[in-house]
Amino acid sequence: MSLSSALSIAQSALLATSKQTSVVSRNVADASNPDYTRRIAVVTSTAPGARSVEIQRTANDLLFRQNLSALSAWSGQSALYNGMDQLDLSVNGVDNASSPSTAIANLQKALQLYATTPSNQNLGTSVIDAAKQVVNSLNSGTKAIQDFRTQADSQIATAVDDLNSLLSQFQDANKAVISGTRSGTDVSDALDQRDAILKKISEYVPVSTFTRGDNDMVITTKDGSTLFETVPRSVTFTPSAGYSAGTPGNTIYIDNVPVSAGTGDNTTTDGKLAGLLKLRDGVASTMQSQLDEIARGLVTAFAETAPSQPNAAGLFTWSGAPAIPAAGTLVDGLAGTISVNAAFDPSAGGNPALLRDGGANGAAYVVNTGGASYSDLLISYSNKLDQPMAFDSSAGITVSSGVSDYAANAIGWFEGVRQQASTNADSKQALAARTAEALSNDTGVNVDQEMSLLLDLEHTYQASAHMMKTVSDMLDSLMAAVG
């Protein structure tokens, strides 16, 4: 081997080691970045004694896809459970203190107390006050649910805007990957950036991907709608200014295909958009239907009856009064319009004794003809709260019960849904953490390993430098001998 060849080899080794050291140093610097993928500097020989360094990016497509799926499921479940927590507090209050069930129980106690001393009109006034609390619970619960739906609608609009922005960012990153791949330059950073954006996209909708030539990536949703192919596909949504009971929410479209909240019950969903849709159109709407059924049950239970006369609204009235709502049929928004009949309300010039005697709808409906100790009608009202009646099964509760138990069952239904959503959220979070850890272990940076490699490279650099010094000394000796 000639001295010039030896010098060339040494220089090549120094250059290769320098590039390797730079790659390892970059790995160490970005070790804490969850979106960074470890780089490997691979040395190849291109000619006798010549070396080049190719930078390779560690990747595991299977683990990455599993992580995307887990992130989507966790995001959807998290949105669903957090929304349920907010909904429960706004409708039922802390420990269900402001729930219709609690208010109805208090009304029943007031009725029973009034029935023990029907001549005491102060007790009659207490019943009216308790009835007002029931009405307030149903009215405010309706408002809280519809306000929640409006808020969820606004969150959907924000999420759609965020998703469109991410797709635009993905387009830029994808172009950088394609351009770098075609020119043969290192595209590791561009690939990291593209994968990081893809993770964020998966939090909004569950995605599938495939890669074409030049590392060009295509994104579709779980149900096959195209999100990105060369250019982003439009995600559109028109928010509503407000909601009322029974009003359906507007649809989200991806590339003109409607987005579904997913199949199954009210406790599972993938992606934030689906979670918000299920809250707005599933859980919240079902809660509203249950409130409407409770209100219908109260109007029915306290209706005044008379021989040869149609049943008419009694203590509780509604927008369709004096008629009584049809049995077993949901009336959208009834909980928002139910009120205490002014004929019974002393603050409106009414007489609470009508609850004891009957007659709010005329003389034909009078039951007690003068006895101040008469309590049969009061007792019958209290009993009717516990008597089974027909409820619309579309409200989510199919157990036959009285209106008092139905109100309690509504709380039980919601708590069951919320608990299952909590369990699902915990399991999805754990799965997301495990897949992220597995991906990091396979493609992330191990600082100890990198520092060990850095030490080896230092020794290699020293050896190459020593070789160059030796060759230099030999050349100096040669030149001296020639001179």
Side-chain angles (χ1 to χ4, degrees):
M1 179 186 300
S2 66
L3 290 179
S4 59
S5 296
L7 183 61
S8 176
I9 291 172
Q11 289 175 329
S12 177
L14 281 175
L15 182 59
T17 304
S18 176
K19 290 183 179 179
Q20 287 177 288
T21 302
S22 176
V23 170
V24 174
S25 299
R26 172 75 187 282
N27 286 341
V28 174
D30 282 306
S32 60
N33 183 355
D35 296 322
Y36 180 80
T37 301
R38 179 174 178 259
R39 316 292 200 254
I40 301 175
V42 179
V43 179
T44 58
S45 297
T46 56
R51 297 181 180 182
S52 65
V53 175
E54 178 186 352
I55 299 176
Q56 296 181 354
R57 176 177 176 268
T58 59
N60 188 316
D61 290 340
L62 177 60
L63 286 177
F64 184 68
R65 285 196 297 270
Q66 290 176 342
N67 186 233
L68 291 179
S69 177
L71 284 172
S72 183
W74 178 29
S75 178
Q77 288 298 144
S78 178
L80 192 59
Y81 174 65
N82 291 336
M84 287 184 185
D85 258 2
Q86 178 187 343
L87 190 58
D88 182 40
L89 188 61
S90 60
V91 175
N92 295 322
V94 179
D95 295 329
N96 300 315
S98 59
S99 69
S101 178
T102 300
I104 290 172
N106 292 334
L107 171 62
Q108 195 167 26
K109 290 177 183 177
L111 272 171
Q112 292 167 351
L113 186 59
Y114 186 23
T116 61
T117 314
S119 60
N120 188 339
Q121 288 308 296
N122 288 331
L123 295 179
T125 301
S126 296
V127 174
I128 303 305
D129 289 339
K132 288 181 179 179
Q133 289 301 313
V134 172
V135 166
N136 180 65
S137 176
L138 291 168
N139 291 166
S140 61
T142 295
K143 183 178 185 304
I145 288 174
Q146 300 312 318
D147 286 348
F148 176 86
R149 295 185 69 205
T150 303
Q151 181 182 351
D153 209 65
S154 177
Q155 292 175 345
I156 291 172
T158 300
V160 166
D161 289 342
D162 291 343
L163 180 55
N164 280 317
S165 176
L166 287 170
L167 289 171
S168 178
Q169 295 173 39
F170 185 89
Q171 180 182 21
D172 294 338
N174 193 59
K175 284 181 178 178
V177 171
I178 295 172
S179 176
T181 301
R182 288 174 178 172
S183 63
T185 58
D186 178 27
V187 294
S188 298
D189 287 345
L191 287 169
D192 277 354
Q193 182 185 11
R194 190 174 71 176
D195 284 354
I197 296 170
L198 190 57
K199 286 181 183 179
K200 293 178 181 178
I201 291 173
S202 71
E203 293 179 9
Y204 291 90
V205 287
V207 298
S208 297
T209 65
F210 64 91
T211 304
R212 304 185 295 194
D214 295 328
N215 276 324
D216 181 21
M217 182 173 283
V218 176
I219 310 175
T220 63
T221 63
K222 194 175 183 179
D223 58 5
S225 301
T226 302
L227 262 177
F228 179 90
E229 185 177 7
T230 307
V231 295
R233 301 302 168 90
S234 61
V235 184
T236 57
F237 173 73
T238 304
S240 298
Y243 278 91
S244 58
T247 303
N250 289 333
T251 303
I252 305 169
Y253 293 93
I254 296 178
D255 198 22
N256 296 320
V257 178
V259 174
S260 169
T263 58
D265 57 21
N266 282 314
T267 66
T268 56
T269 188
D270 287 336
K272 185 176 182 178
L273 288 181
L276 292 172
L277 285 174
K278 189 156 285 189
L279 280 171
R280 187 194 68 181
D281 301 331
V283 178
S285 292
T286 300
M287 286 186 74
Q288 179 63 60
S289 295
Q290 291 169 1
L291 291 187
D292 291 337
E293 282 294 83
I294 292 170
R296 185 181 61 79
L298 288 168
V299 172
T300 302
F302 285 88
E304 285 198 331
T305 60
S308 303
Q309 296 291 331
N311 291 354
L315 176 60
F316 294 102
T317 187
W318 65 300
S319 58
I324 303 300
T329 304
L330 176 67
V331 179
D332 288 324
L334 199 158
T337 64
I338 190 173
S339 61
V340 172
N341 195 330
F344 297 84
D345 185 1
S347 67
N351 182 9
L354 291 175
L355 192 62
R356 178 195 66 190
D357 303 332
N361 292 283
Y365 292 87
V366 174
V367 177
N368 178 30
T369 56
S373 62
Y374 183 79
S375 62
D376 289 359
L377 191 56
L378 296 173
I379 293 172
S380 72
Y381 285 142
S382 178
N383 289 339
K384 283 181 180 179
L385 290 174
D386 293 325
Q387 289 175 0
M389 62 176 65
F391 291 100
D392 195 320
S393 60
S394 66
I397 301 174
T398 57
V399 178
S400 177
S401 66
V403 65
S404 180
D405 285 340
Y406 187 91
N409 289 336
I411 292 177
W413 173 86
F414 183 81
E415 288 302 322
V417 170
R418 187 174 68 158
Q419 181 57 47
Q420 186 58 49
S422 174
T423 300
N424 289 342
D426 289 343
S427 63
K428 299 303 183 184
Q429 181 181 15
L431 180 60
R434 284 198 298 269
T435 56
E437 181 180 6
L439 182 62
S440 177
N441 290 339
D442 192 66
T443 65
V445 177
N446 183 315
V447 175
D448 291 339
Q449 180 181 349
E450 298 300 314
M451 294 305 292
S452 176
L453 182 56
L454 199 59
L455 186 60
D456 290 341
L457 290 172
E458 182 181 353
H459 293 158
T460 301
Y461 189 89
Q462 290 173 347
S464 299
H466 182 70
M467 182 178 179
M468 284 195 68
K469 186 178 182 306
T470 301
V471 172
S472 178
D473 291 343
M474 293 176 67
L475 283 172
D476 290 341
S477 298
L478 181 61
M479 295 300 295
V482 172

